[in-house]
Amino acid sequence: CALPIWLRSEAAQQRRRVHRARADLRVVRLDDRAPLGGPEGLQAQDQVLERARSGICVHGEQATRSRRRNRGYPEAVRPRRVAPLLLALVLIPGVGREVNGATRWLPLGVANLQPSELTKVFVVVYLAGYLVRRAEEVRSSFSGFFKPVVILVIIGTLLLAEPDFGATVVIVATALGMLFLGGAPLRIFFAWMAVTGAAMAALLMAAPYRMERLLTFMDPWADPFNSGFQLAQALIAIGRGEWLGVGLG
């Protein structure tokens, strides 16, 4: 026996509506092959056709609303909104916590939250969804490519204000790689990559400590007990433990 109406899912009800609309369209097609039967027959066919069109339109609107309600996260907490909000909170005096001249943390009592780390995940999630939804627009137009770039520029500006140049480089490089794999036009992609590279080089040379970090990364053994200490210890750990490590103690 059929379930009560209050137990039927909305999706099942929508499927029934579109099936009825398609059935009405089939009736119209069958009627088109038969004689019209005068004005009354023509009027009946017009009514059936109008009912079918209305059913399909209603189904489309309801399906769109249902998709919006059933997305993985509400409209107010989308990654493209949460990431800039968290990065902006860090820069508010009295809210963000400053350590060694950089304001990158939000104090949460027992622990500190670094929004730049969450932003890396948010950017990947946002871009993945955008490239799926707007795949054709990204491949065929400048606007499709430029929309996520605007989000990246905002995020990059907030990160550089902390400052956090390393996170900016990681996020921009990841985003450019995703856009390339998403089928962005090569001419636009390489032009934007050249602009981004020039901007990063200018930022790198504008701050001596950034250039020092780059040189340390290239040769950590030049100062293994100061600026290159972390990288030197990492290389030692990998060299001693190899793939399986040396165990506890």
Side-chain angles (χ1 to χ4, degrees):
C1 61
L3 292 174
I5 188 64
W6 55 274
L7 289 177
R8 299 174 186 171
S9 66
E10 182 182 358
Q13 294 182 28
Q14 291 178 1
R15 284 195 295 270
R16 282 192 291 275
R17 292 191 190 101
V18 75
H19 289 332
R20 286 197 296 268
R22 290 172 178 171
D24 289 339
L25 285 177
R26 285 196 292 270
V27 170
V28 173
R29 295 192 186 101
L30 290 174
D31 289 346
D32 284 343
R33 293 197 295 267
L36 295 178
E40 295 181 357
L42 182 59
Q43 183 178 3
Q45 290 187 13
D46 290 340
Q47 292 175 354
V48 171
L49 182 59
E50 184 62 30
R51 188 166 67 252
R53 289 174 177 171
S54 301
I56 291 176
C57 291
V58 169
H59 168 74
E61 293 175 359
Q62 292 178 347
T64 301
R65 289 195 296 268
S66 178
R67 285 195 299 270
R68 289 174 179 172
R69 287 196 302 270
N70 295 330
R71 282 174 179 169
Y73 34 76
E75 181 70 24
V77 293
R78 293 188 178 280
R80 69 171 182 267
R81 299 183 180 185
V82 174
L85 177 61
L86 290 176
L87 294 174
L89 282 176
V90 173
L91 301 176
I92 297 176
V95 177
R97 181 180 179 183
E98 182 178 348
V99 177
N100 296 329
T103 308
R104 303 176 183 174
W105 292 268
L106 290 174
L108 300 179
V110 297
N112 294 322
L113 174 67
Q114 190 171 1
S116 60
E117 298 301 319
L118 293 177
T119 302
K120 296 174 184 177
V121 179
F122 288 161
V123 167
V124 171
V125 172
Y126 162 68
L127 267 181
Y130 180 85
L131 292 173
V132 170
R133 296 191 312 270
R134 305 293 182 88
E136 186 60 33
E137 186 179 357
V138 171
R139 296 189 184 102
S140 60
S141 67
F142 176 76
S143 62
F145 178 87
F146 188 70
K147 290 175 184 177
V149 168
V150 173
I151 304 296
L152 291 175
V153 169
I154 294 174
I155 290 175
T157 303
L158 292 172
L159 284 172
L160 291 173
E162 294 182 0
D164 195 343
F165 182 75
T168 306
V169 172
V170 171
I171 290 174
V172 171
T174 303
L176 286 175
M178 293 181 67
L179 288 169
F180 176 78
L181 295 175
L186 294 181
R187 178 175 55 84
I188 300 175
F189 174 80
F190 284 118
W192 179 251
M193 191 169 66
V195 172
T196 303
M200 293 296 178
L203 290 170
L204 188 66
M205 292 184 291
Y209 74 92
R210 291 174 183 160
M211 182 62 70
E212 182 182 355
R213 289 187 62 183
L214 177 62
L215 296 175
T216 299
F217 178 79
M218 297 174 64
D219 185 13
W221 303 109
D223 191 5
F225 298 105
N226 189 7
S227 60
F229 180 79
Q230 290 184 342
L231 186 54
Q233 295 302 310
L235 293 174
I236 291 173
I238 295 173
R240 291 186 61 191
E242 297 182 347
W243 291 102
L244 300 179
V246 296
L248 296 176

